[in-house]
């Protein structure tokens, strides 16, 4: 049997139930993994709450790290005992999970389980945002909301590595300190009553930023759009504060011919070559010391509901992971 956390119905963190399920069997092209640590992500909360349509009950989680325990038919490049991580393995809040081999990354032994669990989803997202959604060129300035969050801290470090400048927003002084340590050039608190656009314009001599990376969504989208210079990029990649309502496309014209995109990681890792190339940049960053994964909190698998409360309650910094 496998220990697992299931969302019994759509709802708040209280719908999560820790218990035992039948150990899943890997089918063709799949592997069974003994999970060392699972990553906690916003997508888990969207699926738990029903923002993203799901069947219930379902085992929660998509990301984790561990050792392969069994390989399915047709698997040639992976063996029992290999250490792996994955960004798309539904049912990862468990002691064992079946993962499609297309989504596996090889994890070096020197990397801790917490960091390996933190890497796939937030790391690859930060990587594609800075290199593909809007490719950062040296000297460009980016606005990064939630600068002390999982994606925020990594995105800031990658933008700096590529020669860009970062203006970040956060909700507390403690988070501001973390964002600065990650390399943000300017950080400000974006609480109630703060005019984000005015602040960004002030910090950019009235020009605006080349790109706004916005994972906060509903509460910041309008201000982000108004903070971008003509022909800059608006990259909306999430909705931590809620989803952005339907949008009049003419606003892109009146805002300066802005390039708007709403990307998702899946589109940037469609082949194993692309997945390997993007993750190689992250492992390179860890190895050479320019990329630091902050694991802000570790919860026991049985306390997954508390992990969701902390993430949704803006109490976390960096990555949140679950261990069995
Ligand atoms: P974070 O660690 O960044 O946590 C979210 C942060 O958002 C909070 O800590 C908080 O920071 C800020 N926030 C602002 N308003 C709210 C609110 N009302 N409720 C909760 N949080 C709020 O999470 P992740 O790094 O895991 O994810 C960041 C975003 O990236 C999410 O929207 C997620 O869905 C998205 N994402 C998108 C992917 C993609 O490919 N499109 C892939 C992975 C993640 P503060 O307190 O400083 O305001």
């Amino acid at each position: 049997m496998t220990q697992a956390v299931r969302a019994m119905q759509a709802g708040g963190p209280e719908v999560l139930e820790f218990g035992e399920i039948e150990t899943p069997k890997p089918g063709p092209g799949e592997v069974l993994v003994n999970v060392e640590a699972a990553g906690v992500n916003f997508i888990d909360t969207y699926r738990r709450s029903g923002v993203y349509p799901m069947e219930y009950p379902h085992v929660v989680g998509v990301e984790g790290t561990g050792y392969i325990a069994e390989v399915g038919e047709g698997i040639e490049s992976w063996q029992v005992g290999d250490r792996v991580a994955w960004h798309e393995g539904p049912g990862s809040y468990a002691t064992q999970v079946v993962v499609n081999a297309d989504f596996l990354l090889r994890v070096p032994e020197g990397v801790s389980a917490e960091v390996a669990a933190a890497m796939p989803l937030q790391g690859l997202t930060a990587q594609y945002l800075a290199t593909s959604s809007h490719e950062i060129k040296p000297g460009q300035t980016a606005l990064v909301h939630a600068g002390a969050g999982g994606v925020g801290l990594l995105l800031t470090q990658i933008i700096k590595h590529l020669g860009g400048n970062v203006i970040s927003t956060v909700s507390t002084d403690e988070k501001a300190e973390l964002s600065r340590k990650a390399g943000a050039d300017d950080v400000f608190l974006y609480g109630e009553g703060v005019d984000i656009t005015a602040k960004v314009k002030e910090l950019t001599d009235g020009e605006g930023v080349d790109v706004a990376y916005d994972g906060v969504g509903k509460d910041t989208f309008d201000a982000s759009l108004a903070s971008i210079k003509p022909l800059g990029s608006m990259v909306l990649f999430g909705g931590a504060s809620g989803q952005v309502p339907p949008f009049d496309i003419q606003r892109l014209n009146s805002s300066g011919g802005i390039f708007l995109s709403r990307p998702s990681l899946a589109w940037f890792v469609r082949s194993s070559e692309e997945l390997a190339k993007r993750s190689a940049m992250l492992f390179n960053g860890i190895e050479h010391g320019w990329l630091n994964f902050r694991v802000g909190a570790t919860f026991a698998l049985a306390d997954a509901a508390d992990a969701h409360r902390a993430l949704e309650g803006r109490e976390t910094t960096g990555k949140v992971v679950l261990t069995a």
Side-chain angles (χ1 to χ4, degrees):
M1 297 294 278
T2 289
Q3 293 184 319
V5 177
R6 286 184 297 166
M8 304 310 287
Q9 61 192 67
E14 69 285 352
V15 304
L16 297 182
E17 204 174 285
F18 178 66
E20 284 195 332
I21 57 164
E22 286 286 328
T23 300
K25 283 296 285 175
E30 296 176 334
V31 300
L32 177 72
V33 187
N34 288 333
V35 180
E36 274 188 290
V40 177
N41 290 290
F42 254 90
I43 190 166
D44 309 338
T45 69
Y46 304 150
R47 289 181 177 179
R48 182 214 69 217
S49 66
V51 168
Y52 287 0
M54 289 296 285
E55 282 182 10
Y56 302 90
H58 69 263
V59 181
V60 186
V62 294
E63 173 189 56
T65 187
Y67 290 90
I68 293 181
E70 203 178 320
V71 296
E73 232 175 84
I75 300 274
E76 284 172 6
S77 24
W78 301 98
Q79 290 179 346
V80 171
D82 283 349
R83 192 171 188 221
V84 292
W86 58 92
H87 65 277
E88 183 55 71
S92 290
Y93 288 12
T95 47
Q96 292 182 299
V97 63
V98 164
V99 184
N100 184 313
D102 289 346
F103 302 130
L104 294 176
L105 302 172
R106 210 169 283 279
V107 178
E109 281 302 330
V111 177
S112 74
E114 281 80 6
V115 168
M119 212 208 75
L121 201 67
Q122 293 174 341
L124 290 167
T125 296
Q127 199 278 348
Y128 84 70
L129 288 173
T131 61
S132 302
S133 281
H134 172 98
E135 189 185 349
I136 292 288
K137 303 272 180 7
Q140 288 192 334
T141 300
L143 173 62
V144 175
H145 290 302
V151 174
L153 286 173
L154 297 170
L155 181 57
T156 298
Q157 294 172 77
I158 295 173
I159 293 169
K160 293 304 294 178
H161 178 71
L162 297 171
N165 305 307
V166 174
I167 298 173
S168 80
T169 61
V170 292
S171 65
T172 67
D173 289 330
E174 185 214 345
K175 289 185 175 187
E177 189 53 30
L178 286 172
S179 178
R180 262 187 219 103
K181 276 203 185 123
D185 301 271
D186 294 291
V187 184
F188 66 90
L189 270 56
Y190 59 171
E192 195 113 321
V194 174
D195 185 337
I196 295 175
T197 303
K199 201 80 186 119
V200 171
K201 290 280 169 82
E202 185 190 313
L203 290 166
T204 54
D205 296 328
E207 255 196 275
V209 290
D210 295 278
V211 52
Y213 293 112
D214 191 340
V216 170
K218 185 170 72 64
D219 290 354
T220 47
F221 181 82
D222 288 338
S224 297
L225 191 62
S227 302
I228 302 167
K229 62 166 71 158
L231 303 185
S233 306
M234 170 76 212
V235 183
L236 176 73
F237 66 96
S241 68
Q243 303 303 315
V244 175
F247 172 82
D248 176 4
I249 214 154
Q250 283 300 339
R251 284 182 58 198
L252 297 176
N253 182 8
S254 54
S255 308
I258 303 300
F259 294 86
L260 169 70
S261 65
R262 194 343 183 157
S264 256
L265 173 60
W267 304 117
F268 296 86
V269 287
R270 281 187 298 156
S271 68
S272 34
E273 290 75 26
E274 198 171 12
L275 179 59
K277 191 187 81 186
R278 293 189 187 281
S279 50
M281 181 177 176
L282 300 174
F283 283 125
N284 172 285
I286 296 174
E287 195 185 328
H288 291 93
W290 59 263
L291 188 61
N292 174 41
F293 281 78
R294 175 185 166 82
V295 177
T298 304
F299 290 83
L301 198 52
D303 298 328
D306 289 336
H308 277 208
R309 283 186 194 99
L311 186 67
E312 292 175 293
R314 304 172 78 159
E315 290 161 22
T316 63
T317 57
K319 185 70 185 182
V320 180
V321 301
L322 301 174
T323 52

